[in-house]
Amino acid sequence: MAFDKDNIIDQLKDASISDLNDLVKSIEDEFGVSASAPVAAAGAAGGDAAAKDSYDVELTESGDQKVKAIKAIRDITGLGLKDAKGLVDKVPSIIKEGASEDEANKIKEQLEAVGGTVTLK
């Protein structure tokens, strides 16, 4: 008996939900598999496909070297001294919104180099 994929697909299109449910159970019993495992794998793969393309860089802790953190924020953002100091003093603070992954990682490295703790959102 030849395997006729098109015939099987046509039969599945005409089947009721309860018939399809019975078919799934029968296949699980016959072959010792579970239909839930491929669904979970497909969900995990879908999560990778929807990777973020922009990040918010948040300073969560300024660290012990606040002056260096203020200077780093001024270099990164172009803010004045008072505004940069305000971000450092009022942590957690968003340093940059909508940054690309490369830019966000570069900012994170700069702030961590001066003792800050950074979270990418």
Side-chain angles (χ1 to χ4, degrees), residues 12-83:
L12 290 174
K13 287 180 183 177
D14 295 332
S16 68
I17 297 296
S18 62
D19 289 339
L20 293 174
N21 188 36
D22 292 340
L23 175 64
V24 169
K25 288 180 183 178
S26 297
I27 291 172
E28 288 176 338
D29 292 341
E30 180 69 29
F31 297 105
V33 296
S34 174
S36 62
V39 171
D48 293 340
K52 291 182 73 169
D53 57 353
S54 67
Y55 295 87
D56 292 342
V57 181
E58 179 181 57
L59 180 66
T60 53
E61 289 184 34
S62 57
D64 294 337
Q65 303 175 27
K66 284 189 175 185
V67 173
K68 289 183 179 181
I70 292 168
K71 287 180 182 180
I73 289 174
R74 289 187 68 197
D75 290 341
I76 293 165
T77 63
L79 293 173
L81 180 61
K82 182 178 179 181
D83 293 330

